[in-house]
């Protein structure tokens, strides 16, 4: 189904991608004959995260998905988790259903981490990655494993019983999102909320699965992070937000200084700069790269 929005002059196609009993909702942008690119959003966001950037990349075949538990996509079964590495199987399922043997990844934050895990596990499938304010998870110490598991089990029970937050109106939800952990403009918040909420009696609630709030049952240590980076040898362009997550700005440049395949550029803006004023500069750098015209 072709959809348009007065805020976005270029139309997109709504897609439902089904595989292995799972249903992933998506928006398809650009040229269906162009280079295939899968877009993965950040934690508690959805595919509307790319509404401002996608129209600036018209020559690629861009499919932006609602990842599991987000937006309008399926929620994992009650006996499953939202560990970050489980996204890899969904990436492969989506691209298989789309008929893409190899493809590139455009991703933000948590989606960028899922992209690295996919590229490290299946480097023959991923041609290049354009990443926004994220790449690797903070490495864990081996000694933290028991506490990590205990915390995850407790949180799974807690969030599994939690009902999504209720708002009296869509406007109230937009304001809550705009003033959340990562402050957003009203426009960016509205785009995410319109995609990521459902109407109920007396207002709206989030469509996200509350279990997404739980932590992973295990985390990668430094050697494992390095192993994924070693295997992900394809060209990578990484944009860091000047006013983004401090830990990322402090940790990543040193971690990546000897990796010639990863180019880093810092742009003005906050963590969601691709939804704000940073979209144009980002598209200028990412566009030729994702088309395969530059490394």
């Amino acid at each position: 189904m072709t959809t348009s929005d007065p805020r976005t002059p270029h139309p997109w196609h709504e897609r439902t991608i089904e595989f292995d009993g799972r249903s992933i909702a998506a928006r398809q942008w650009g040229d269906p004959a162009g280079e295939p690119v899968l877009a993965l959003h950040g934690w508690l966001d959805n595919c509307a995260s790319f509404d401002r950037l996608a129209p600036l990349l018209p020559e690629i075949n861009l499919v932006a998905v609602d990842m599991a538990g987000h937006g309008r996509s399926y929620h994992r079964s009650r006996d499953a988790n939202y560990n970050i590495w489980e996204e890899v199987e969904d990436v492969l399922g989506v691209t298989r259903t789309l008929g893409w043997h190899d493809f590139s990844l455009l991703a933000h934050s948590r989606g960028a981490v899922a992209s690295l895990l996919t590229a490290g596990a299946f480097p023959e499938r991923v041609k290049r990655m354009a990443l926004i304010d994220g790449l690797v998870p903070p490495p864990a110490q081996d000694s933290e494993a028991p506490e990590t598991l205990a915390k995850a089990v407790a949180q799974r029970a807690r969030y599994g019983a939690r009902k999504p937050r209720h708002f009296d109106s869509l406007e109230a939800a937009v304001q809550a999102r705009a003033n959340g952990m990562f402050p957003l403009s009203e426009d960016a918040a509205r785009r995410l909320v319109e995609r990521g909420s459902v109407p109920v009696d007396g207002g709206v609630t989030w469509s996200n699965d509350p279990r997404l709030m739980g932590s992973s049952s295990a985390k990668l240590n430094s050697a494992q992070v390095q192993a994924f980076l070693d295997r992900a040898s394809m060209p990578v362009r990484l944009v860091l937000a000047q006013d983004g997550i401090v830990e990322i700005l402090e940790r990543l440049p040193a971690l990546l200084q000897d990796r010639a395949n990863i180019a880093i550029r810092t742009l003005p803006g906050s963590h969601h700069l691709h939804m704000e004023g940073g979209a144009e500069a980002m598209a200028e750098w990412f566009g030729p790269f994702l088309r395969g015209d530059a490394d």
Side-chain angles (χ1 to χ4, degrees):
M1 178 179 67
T2 302
T3 307
S4 62
D5 185 319
R7 297 167 300 185
T8 305
H10 301 274
W12 65 82
H13 298 282
E14 288 288 343
R15 297 286 305 267
T16 300
I17 303 165
E18 297 183 343
F19 59 93
D20 303 334
R22 309 174 192 189
S23 181
I24 292 287
R27 286 177 173 168
Q28 185 172 17
W29 299 83
D31 182 359
E35 280 288 314
V37 179
L38 188 70
L40 306 178
H41 59 76
W43 181 59
L44 301 182
D45 292 345
N46 52 63
C47 72
S49 173
F50 297 100
D51 278 6
R52 184 160 180 177
L53 180 59
L56 304 176
L57 303 169
E59 296 178 341
I60 61 174
N61 181 12
L62 179 62
V63 176
V65 298
D66 291 336
M67 298 168 74
H70 296 81
R72 300 174 185 174
S73 286
Y74 82 102
H75 291 190
R76 299 200 189 281
S77 63
R78 303 303 299 174
D79 59 345
N81 293 302
Y82 284 95
N83 294 315
I84 184 69
W85 53 84
E86 294 180 43
E87 306 296 348
V88 175
E89 190 172 352
D90 280 357
V91 169
L92 295 182
V94 166
T95 53
R96 181 181 71 245
T97 304
L98 291 171
W100 297 353
H101 177 267
D102 50 14
F103 51 91
S104 296
L105 291 164
L106 168 65
H108 172 237
S109 195
R110 182 179 183 271
V113 177
S115 294
L116 176 71
L117 297 182
T118 302
F122 299 94
E124 72 283 0
R125 301 289 305 278
V126 180
K127 299 169 72 173
R128 56 188 66 85
M129 293 191 290
L131 307 178
I132 306 164
D133 222 33
L135 176 64
V136 298
Q141 299 295 320
D142 291 353
S143 60
E144 296 171 347
E147 279 188 22
T148 297
L149 178 58
K151 181 179 179 181
V153 171
Q155 289 186 345
R156 178 175 169 180
R158 181 192 318 157
Y159 294 120
R162 175 176 290 188
K163 294 185 182 300
R165 183 177 174 185
H166 179 273
F167 298 92
D168 292 338
S169 66
L170 184 72
E171 295 303 318
V174 169
Q175 289 305 309
R177 186 62 207 257
N179 297 312
M181 181 186 302
F182 302 113
L184 295 169
S185 68
E186 191 273 342
D187 177 72
R190 184 174 299 279
R191 291 176 186 271
L192 292 175
V193 170
E194 287 176 351
R195 181 80 179 186
S197 63
V198 291
V200 295
D201 289 342
V204 300
T205 65
W206 299 135
S207 63
N208 291 343
D209 190 334
R211 292 179 297 157
L212 286 163
M213 299 293 293
S215 60
S216 294
S217 55
K219 297 184 178 181
L220 302 180
N221 61 25
S222 293
Q224 290 169 327
V225 168
Q226 292 293 341
F228 276 97
L229 284 169
D230 289 343
R231 293 252 297 177
S233 59
M234 68 287 300
V236 179
R237 289 192 176 184
L238 170 62
V239 164
L240 298 180
Q242 185 173 305
D243 300 314
I245 299 174
V246 173
E247 181 189 14
I248 292 177
L249 283 168
E250 292 178 346
R251 178 170 55 92
L252 279 186
L255 180 67
L256 304 176
Q257 62 182 350
D258 296 324
R259 298 190 178 274
N261 66 307
I262 302 177
I264 303 176
R265 183 172 292 186
T266 301
L267 294 179
S270 58
H271 186 55
H272 286 80
L273 73 166
H274 62 301
M275 298 190 72
E276 311 278 5
E280 286 74 16
M282 195 177 300
E284 184 176 340
W285 196 42
F286 282 171
F289 177 69
L290 290 172
R291 293 196 304 267
D293 296 337
D295 288 333

